[in-house]
Amino acid sequence: MRIVRDYQFVEPEDRGASVAIGNFDGVHLGHRAVIDIARTQAEAIGAPLGILTFEPHPREYFAPDAPPFRLMSPAARTHRFERMGIERVFELNFNAALAALEPRAFADEVIHRGLGLRHAVVGADFCFGKGRAGTAQDLKAFGEELGFGVTIATLLEGAGQRVSSTNIRVALAEGRPQDAAQMLGHWHRIEGEVIGGEQRGRVLGYPTANMGIGGLHLPKLGVYAVLVDVLDGPQAGSYQGAASLGVRPMFGANAPNLETHLFDFSGDLYGATLSVALVEFLRPEQKFPSLDALIAQMDRDCDVARAILAAT
């Protein structure tokens, strides 16, 4: 997979792709439906399969001080694209110049002349260009004029509601990771590097891998049954576990983080990249009257998590 970040400097072998266009936060089932159409078109015309997306997310660019909303980091999104067989990722720098392009200028300068795309697939609610003034139908008309194909994908419904990043965020915030997974088509995962902690878990008999979650949408704080992929290093592999997502109320106010205890694991994970899938919400965060009470609850949490994961 090749990543291109500047539409004004594109190698000849990266031109002529069939792409899905969007932000693809979460890469949910609706996104995958758009990507599958682009894949079919790529195969039909003998073109590379690509993604056209933007970084930072336009919502972050226009409202940098708003609460974090992203379901996944750019790196995690790229990893998922790679697993899906995407050959080109056009991850364009979203800046003032790009934001100022009128819809037709975007179609001409970016899609046609810049990237040289042969086909583009967008959702029916796609908007683009300055002030989000361009619609999917506008893009189709510009494609007919400029010489690239456009397919408009219908919006996907699932479990009685539209499949969208917004609805997934709501499900996660309400502690419903399995409902989120139905819309995602996969478990919601938090991916990142294991960082140093205060090693309280080790003292309590439950060593944990600690990960920061800055910049990401916060699921409901509490304890989860989780599936864990260690993506690199000597301990690479798949594990089961229990994780605490929150601020550790027993130990004073802290920034939210994710602390994951891997079952039947022994080793050093510092610096490794973990992908932690939230499978089921077990209980909210709470403050216990003593460390012994906390340990007893952790024993129960792990027993419940093991039972849930055994049946998953």
Side-chain angles (χ1 to χ4, degrees), residues 159-222:
Q161 63 180 330
R162 180 182 157 201
V163 175
S164 71
S165 298
T166 297
N167 286 335
I168 292 165
R169 292 185 195 104
V170 171
L172 292 170
E174 294 177 352
R176 299 185 284 113
Q178 295 198 15
D179 289 346
Q182 289 184 353
M183 290 182 279
L184 285 164
H186 52 82
W187 297 115
H188 174 64
R189 289 180 171 270
I190 298 173
E191 188 171 307
E193 181 178 331
V194 177
I195 57 177
E198 298 179 9
Q199 300 191 336
R200 292 193 185 106
R202 190 177 304 275
V203 173
L204 299 174
Y206 285 96
T208 59
N210 301 322
M211 298 161 56
I213 51 176
L216 296 179
H217 168 77
L218 276 179
K220 186 174 183 178
L221 301 186

Side-chain angles (χ1 to χ4, degrees), residues 16-100:
S18 170
V19 307
I21 305 179
N23 292 307
F24 300 103
D25 188 26
V27 195
H28 57 59
L29 287 174
H31 296 147
R32 289 167 60 179
V34 174
I35 293 169
D36 284 344
I37 295 171
R39 188 189 309 276
T40 298
Q41 289 292 333
E43 292 170 352
I45 63 178
L49 171 62
I51 296 289
L52 172 54
T53 190
F54 310 94
E55 193 59 42
H57 191 297
R59 182 170 159 185
E60 288 179 317
Y61 176 83
F62 288 113
D65 297 324
F69 66 91
R70 294 184 72 146
L71 293 169
M72 63 197 326
S73 68
R77 182 179 63 181
T78 298
H79 290 160
R80 186 157 294 279
F81 287 157
E82 192 166 23
R83 290 193 292 271
M84 295 174 69
I86 304 299
E87 297 169 276
R88 305 287 189 274
V89 175
F90 302 101
E91 188 181 85
L92 303 187
N93 178 26
F94 193 84
N95 53 26
L98 194 63

Side-chain angles (χ1 to χ4, degrees), residues 16 27 42 54 62 87 93 101 106 150-151 153 173 199 213 247 250 287 308:
V27 195
F54 310 94
F62 288 113
E87 297 169 276
N93 178 26
L101 288 177
F106 180 89
V150 175
T151 299
Q199 300 191 336
I213 51 176
V247 296
M250 283 291 291
K287 189 171 183 177
I308 289 170

Side-chain angles (χ1 to χ4, degrees), residues 252-287:
N254 295 280
N257 76 341
L258 182 67
E259 297 181 315
T260 305
H261 173 68
L262 279 63
F263 298 151
D264 309 314
F265 175 86
S266 177
D268 183 357
L269 289 172
Y270 289 126
T273 302
L274 266 58
S275 177
V276 180
L278 305 184
V279 175
E280 188 160 319
F281 182 79
L282 303 184
R283 63 171 176 86
E285 277 198 304
Q286 61 189 106
K287 189 171 183 177

